[in-house]
Amino acid sequence: MQRALAALIAALFFSLTQSADADLLERIAGNGEMVGQFDGVLVPVDLPTESLADLLPPQLKLERPRAQSTLAVLAIGIQRDVHFVGQKKYLKYRPSETKKYHEVIVAVPNLYLEVGDEIIGPVTHYALLYLNSQKAIDLGKNFWGYPKFAAEMTGGELADADSLDDPVNYLVKADDAPLLEAAFRIGDVDPAMHKAGAFEEVEAMLKQPVVLKHDESWMFKEFDWNLDEASLSPASSDLKLHQGFWGEVQIEAKRQALGEQLGSFRMQTRWRSRQIEQIKETP
């Protein structure tokens, strides 16, 4: 009897705690401010414009819709210590904290959003994300509408890439099917490899507001990648994207063929993001 009563009290306490946590999380998330650390590689790739448009919400328009190819940026790496920033009395309370997880982001910069009679831009859209943290997936989808999907990810630490002869390998797969394979080499690489992937092209993605569709609203988020203090170094990426990577959309890269070494950049930084605006879509 005593054990049953103790179990009942424990269950009730857990339920109340979970409810309080959910309410607190809702209030902190409403502030929309998060921080974290990213250590990964930014890989600019050219994708066929016509196919890429199928990956975007129809309200987002490409800067050059008639161009044969459009720049996208793949950010592939590890996120650490990601958590909400709340009011002062909640600073030590981090219900969303995720200590470490792998993430792949497909970012499309230089887009323009049409909402009613307004045209807003340039903005960046995160068209596709793969993670191996269910907590981060749920939070991103529920609060801001990030198109996040679960995947199995294995990869070494970029800090272990001591020389060009010692690449760091990444493998992303879902349902035992490979989605992405990559080998990163950090250090002195051929400068010619970066002509098609100059950092100025990547920089647009890092400085523009990010826009996401969530329910019937457009969410605008400001990302501060702390570029003044970020560590940036040249890298090469031997990248292979399997067709399943894009889901139901059929995309094949053109000018920079997948499977070839692409000019890229390793970035280590502390970032901060916050919601800056929410616009409801008019019927």
Side-chain angles (χ1 to χ4, degrees):
M1 181 69 177
Q2 288 182 338
R3 288 184 180 179
L5 182 60
L8 179 62
I9 294 173
L12 179 61
F13 177 78
F14 178 78
S15 175
L16 292 173
T17 302
Q18 290 293 96
S19 176
D21 285 355
D23 292 342
L24 183 56
L25 177 58
E26 186 75 36
R27 279 183 286 170
I28 295 177
N31 183 33
E33 191 167 2
M34 299 191 76
V35 294
Q37 301 174 42
F38 177 76
D39 184 5
V41 178
L42 307 177
V43 186
V45 294
D46 285 314
L47 301 176
T49 300
E50 185 176 352
S51 299
L52 182 60
D54 294 335
L55 197 64
L56 303 173
Q59 298 89 342
L60 284 172
K61 308 300 181 183
L62 296 165
E63 185 177 38
R64 296 182 299 148
R66 296 184 180 180
Q68 287 190 344
S69 62
T70 296
L71 173 76
V73 179
L74 272 64
I76 305 168
I78 295 175
Q79 299 276 16
R80 287 185 173 86
D81 194 26
V82 177
H83 60 272
F84 287 117
V85 176
Q87 299 171 358
K88 286 185 177 180
K89 62 180 180 178
Y90 299 136
L91 280 178
K92 293 183 180 179
Y93 184 83
R94 298 180 174 183
S96 70
E97 187 170 21
T98 46
K99 286 293 185 183
K100 175 183 174 182
Y101 59 90
H102 289 80
E103 184 169 39
V104 176
I105 303 171
V106 179
V108 184
N110 302 318
L111 297 173
Y112 290 83
L113 174 65
E114 293 185 359
V115 182
D117 297 330
E118 286 189 88
I119 298 179
I120 305 169
V123 296
T124 288
H125 178 63
Y126 287 179
L128 186 63
L129 302 94
Y130 288 105
L131 301 85
N132 62 353
S133 166
Q134 191 59 49
K135 181 183 286 188
I137 291 172
D138 292 341
L139 288 167
K141 279 188 172 182
N142 292 341
F143 288 112
W144 299 293
Y146 281 100
K148 294 184 173 185
F149 299 92
E152 300 172 53
M153 299 189 187
T154 56
E157 297 278 354
L158 292 173
D160 296 334
D162 296 327
S163 70
L164 296 180
D165 297 325
D166 184 22
V168 172
N169 297 306
Y170 269 75
L171 173 64
V172 179
K173 62 180 183 178
D175 298 325
D176 292 326
L179 301 178
L180 178 150
E181 297 175 70
F184 300 128
R185 291 174 171 83
I186 314 298
D188 297 327
V189 297
D190 183 355
M193 293 181 62
H194 293 84
K195 287 184 179 179
F199 186 71
E200 286 74 13
E201 293 182 322
V202 176
E203 198 172 18
M205 181 272 287
L206 298 173
K207 289 188 173 182
Q208 292 173 0
V210 173
V211 63
L212 299 156
K213 182 71 179 295
H214 183 45
D215 294 332
E216 300 302 319
S217 297
W218 290 96
M219 317 292 283
F220 291 81
K221 294 184 69 65
E222 177 186 71
F223 271 84
D224 178 4
W225 290 94
N226 196 21
L227 293 181
D228 291 337
E229 298 182 14
S231 172
L232 288 163
S233 54
S236 70
S237 304
D238 189 1
L239 184 69
K240 183 176 182 181
L241 301 181
H242 296 266
Q243 187 54 53
F245 181 85
W246 304 106
E248 298 179 357
V249 179
Q250 301 295 312
I251 294 182
E252 292 183 8
K254 288 187 176 179
R255 188 157 55 92
Q256 293 180 336
L258 299 179
E260 294 182 359
Q261 287 194 337
L262 307 177
S264 51
F265 306 88
R266 180 195 180 186
M267 182 170 71
Q268 298 169 275
T269 190
R270 294 178 179 271
W271 56 265
R272 178 180 293 263
S273 73
R274 66 185 181 94
Q275 184 174 316
I276 53 177
E277 192 171 0
Q278 177 177 350
I279 299 179
K280 284 195 173 292
E281 196 169 45
T282 54

